[in-house]
Amino acid sequence: MDLVSEPSVLAEAELIEATTAALAAVGLAGATVRLSDRRFLAALATAAGVPSAAQPGFFVTVDKLDKIGWDGVTAELVGQRGLPADVTAAARDKIEALSGLPADQVADTLTNAVPGLPEPGCVGVN
């Protein structure tokens, strides 16, 4: 698989989709993929209404999700980072919409959850 001169962050998601499809084709189905790419997170944060100046702190807090859960993340984002509750709720909704997806649905769902990303369809499998 190859990415050549493709600036779209969705190309990365499509590459992951192709990789998991290849793994499944050789009998390694059921792989779990976690996306933690600042470009995805920045687009998601912007779409949720997180101001660009607050995004570094937002990323640090969301990184703690596995450790402190949504209640802890929400408390920190609102209480310590000063984000409005509706912005935090919008970010949570967008992140949860992407959780537990089959790999072949990641790029399409990212496009729907994060407006402004280009349409999928730019990665091929060699």
Side-chain angles (χ1 to χ4, degrees):
M1 288 177 269
D2 208 357
L3 284 174
V4 179
S5 299
E6 179 52 55
S8 167
V9 296
L10 284 180
E12 301 293 336
E14 291 175 335
L15 186 58
I16 292 166
E17 289 177 1
T19 300
T20 57
L23 289 172
V26 297
L28 299 173
T32 298
V33 176
R34 292 180 184 239
L35 296 176
S36 182
D37 183 298
R38 289 287 170 125
R39 296 169 298 173
F40 288 123
L41 288 172
L44 182 142
T46 299
V50 178
S52 58
Q55 288 183 10
F58 172 83
F59 300 146
V60 168
T61 301
V62 170
D63 237 11
K64 300 175 185 178
L65 186 56
D66 287 344
K67 294 177 188 161
I68 64 175
W70 275 114
D71 290 340
V73 167
T74 300
E76 186 171 322
L77 289 174
V78 174
Q80 295 175 14
R81 305 248 182 229
L83 289 175
D86 62 326
V87 169
T88 300
R92 179 179 179 167
D93 289 346
K94 290 180 182 310
I95 291 168
E96 286 182 336
L98 299 169
S99 297
L101 288 176
D104 63 345
Q105 295 178 14
V106 172
D108 288 334
T109 305
L110 272 172
T111 301
N112 293 331
V114 184
L117 290 178
E119 294 294 319
C122 52
V123 172
V125 178
N126 295 331

